[in-house]
Amino acid sequence: MTIADRWLLPDGMDEVLPPQATRMETLRRALLDLYYRWGYDLVMPPPVEFLDSLLTGTGTDLDLQTFKLTDQLTGRLMGASADVTPQVARMDAHSLKRQGPARLCYCSHVLRAKADQHQGGRSPVQVGVELFGHAGLEADLEILRLALSSLTTAGASEIHLALGHIGIYRALVQLANLQGDARRALFEAIERKSPSEVRALVSMHVADAGLAEMFSALVNLHGGEETIEAARGALVDAPAEVVEALDQLQSLCRDVKRDYPDVTLYIDLADLRGYQYHTGMMFAAYVPGYGQALAKGGRYDDTGRAFGRARPATGFSMDLKLLATLVEQAPQADGIWAPTMATSETEAQQLNAAIAHLRNAGERVVQALPDQQTGPAEHRCNRQLVRLGDDWQVSPLT
């Protein structure tokens, strides 16, 4: 191994340097303060858990993303957290056991076995909120509003919000009684938005002509708000669950437009992202210049069932690293440069007292070290501590 190889990081793993690390920490505090004002309590899940608990009820996608290791104390398999949401669901169901709605938020490092276009890097800092214990549309709307407020807090503009509802596809598949390979093939064709593939598959596996036509129509039901009315026409003979899902989407669109008139709405009924996980409304928020969603979430009821307490749940998550790139900030000079030492013991005591007083007041004070070659500019200081008479005072740098 060469010296250069010693500095290499694994693919998808990154380090955060100044000033981006400062920007991330500032944003983390702002977001957690925002969630606190909305009534969300902070939780801190562990970085690893036993595998049978960590992956309970999450489907195969999260299993493939999870680094696995053996616990040296028990011999049991453990997993490094690749998604905080199932952990928070466990905490709500098993550890907290609160009655009524529970609002929880978090900001935690996660580790993923591989990166993809939806999740970004392999070591994101996941920040988000979860609302447990309420199945109504009001909870979904609260989550949507809080997601958009989070993006605004991070400096996002020209937000595009994509809304879908996995219940529509679920209802059609259940009515068609599709199984095995046929079900998987149709799922993949709709996910690719391939009308020709969908038509070929439903002609082979769906006997009911009306239902086959609804599957064929589903792949084209994406676009502006008018998509909902188009869906009402194309899916007029669908089960009642489909009508209810469309009513929910229309209500959410109306409320989002009222509260966030600058947000562009996009409806995508062929979005099957998180099929094994989501149970109702789903959303993803995008801004120009980013190829992946900055916020994504939706409803995922009954995740806590495996822990003995099935609860309605809805929430969203974001990558703090990605959010912190929304507003690129040059390092700003905002600090006080203090001299290395004073000429006497009395002056030294007064200097130390002055530095302590400034730091206690929230000021950033950088004290020079003996023989230091760098000066105030390199340490982002725009003021200096100088001796004036018997006192140490702050004055601008010349």
Side-chain angles (χ1 to χ4, degrees):
M1 177 182 290
T2 67
I3 293 178
D5 290 336
R6 296 181 188 276
W7 305 109
L8 290 177
L9 293 172
D11 287 345
M13 303 294 178
D14 56 351
E15 56 193 6
V16 184
L17 303 175
Q20 191 65 7
T22 301
R23 166 65 178 157
M24 282 181 59
E25 176 60 17
T26 301
L27 181 56
R28 183 191 71 86
R29 297 177 190 179
L31 290 173
L32 293 182
D33 286 345
L34 173 68
Y35 303 152
Y36 176 81
R37 293 194 298 271
W38 281 58
Y40 286 76
D41 295 323
L42 180 66
V43 293
M44 297 181 180
V48 295
E49 292 192 33
F50 288 123
L51 206 59
D52 49 4
S53 170
L54 189 66
L55 299 181
T56 297
T58 60
T60 58
D61 290 346
L62 191 59
D63 186 15
L64 296 174
Q65 284 284 44
T66 300
F67 277 103
K68 301 171 179 68
L69 60 156
T70 302
D71 181 15
Q72 298 300 312
L73 296 178
T74 64
R76 294 174 61 185
L77 274 178
M78 299 192 301
S81 174
D83 185 1
V84 180
T85 300
Q87 295 182 280
V88 180
R90 175 189 55 76
M91 295 168 79
D92 170 73
H94 178 70
S95 302
L96 291 174
K97 299 180 181 178
R98 291 179 177 176
Q99 298 301 314
R103 293 174 169 88
L104 303 176
C105 65
Y106 57 85
C107 184
S108 299
H109 288 263
V110 296
L111 188 64
R112 290 170 179 160
K114 58 181 180 179
D116 62 36
Q117 59 179 340
H118 301 299
Q119 295 179 322
R122 299 169 69 197
S123 60
V125 178
Q126 190 176 345
V127 58
V129 305
E130 316 295 340
L131 201 169
F132 299 97
H134 194 281
L137 196 62
E138 296 83 359
D140 289 327
L141 178 60
E142 178 172 317
I143 289 298
L144 275 173
R145 293 171 63 207
L146 191 48
L148 293 172
S149 295
S150 298
L151 292 175
T152 302
T153 298
S157 59
E158 300 182 60
I159 300 172
H160 294 251
L161 180 66
L163 279 170
H165 199 298
I166 199 65
I168 295 173
Y169 173 76
R170 286 186 186 278
L172 295 180
V173 167
Q174 186 174 1
L175 189 62
N177 195 28
L178 291 174
Q179 304 294 331
D181 292 341
R183 186 168 182 164
R184 282 190 293 272
L186 181 60
F187 175 89
E188 293 169 359
I190 293 177
E191 198 171 36
R192 287 194 296 269
K193 291 184 171 62
S194 174
S196 59
E197 286 185 72
V198 171
R199 285 194 175 276
L201 287 167
V202 296
S203 67
M204 289 188 293
H205 301 292
V206 180
D208 186 281
L211 185 55
E213 191 60 34
M214 284 190 280
F215 274 117
S216 298
L218 187 63
V219 74
N220 293 312
L221 290 174
H222 53 87
E225 294 175 71
E226 68 280 359
T227 302
I228 296 177
E229 289 306 319
R232 292 189 189 279
L235 306 176
V236 65
D237 295 323
E241 297 94 322
V242 172
V243 177
E244 183 181 357
L246 292 173
D247 289 343
Q248 290 178 2
L249 287 177
Q250 194 158 45
S251 180
L252 290 172
C253 286
R254 182 185 65 246
D255 291 335
V256 167
K257 283 178 61 179
R258 179 196 64 212
D259 297 337
Y260 301 89
D262 295 332
V263 171
T264 301
L265 288 169
Y266 180 81
I267 307 300
D268 189 353
L269 303 187
D271 180 10
L272 305 183
R273 169 186 48 86
Y275 171 72
Q276 296 178 316
Y277 185 70
H278 286 295
T279 60
M281 178 274 295
M282 306 182 304
F283 71 92
Y286 301 85
V287 299
Y290 289 79
Q292 63 191 86
L294 293 185
K296 54 186 181 295
R299 181 160 288 278
Y300 58 102
D301 292 342
D302 297 343
T303 301
R305 183 183 301 277
F307 304 106
R309 193 168 183 240
R311 295 253 281 171
T314 182
F316 71 89
S317 65
M318 306 173 292
D319 180 1
L320 188 65
K321 289 181 181 178
L322 190 61
L323 283 182
T325 65
L326 280 169
V327 180
E328 294 290 351
Q329 292 182 334
Q332 294 183 351
D334 184 21
I336 300 170
W337 184 256
T340 305
M341 62 184 70
T343 57
S344 68
E345 183 66 25
T346 300
E347 283 188 6
Q349 291 177 354
Q350 292 173 339
L351 174 60
N352 291 336
I355 292 173
H357 174 76
L358 289 167
R359 287 173 175 164
N360 289 336
E363 292 282 5
R364 178 175 177 270
V365 183
V366 180
Q367 187 171 18
L369 296 171
D371 302 322
Q372 183 169 329
Q373 300 300 310
T374 53
E378 291 87 348
H379 297 274
R380 296 188 288 116
C381 292
N382 59 353
R383 292 162 291 163
Q384 62 183 337
L385 196 57
V386 297
R387 179 82 172 179
L388 294 176
D390 294 332
D391 296 322
W392 289 95
Q393 297 185 12
V394 177
S395 66
L397 274 168
T398 56

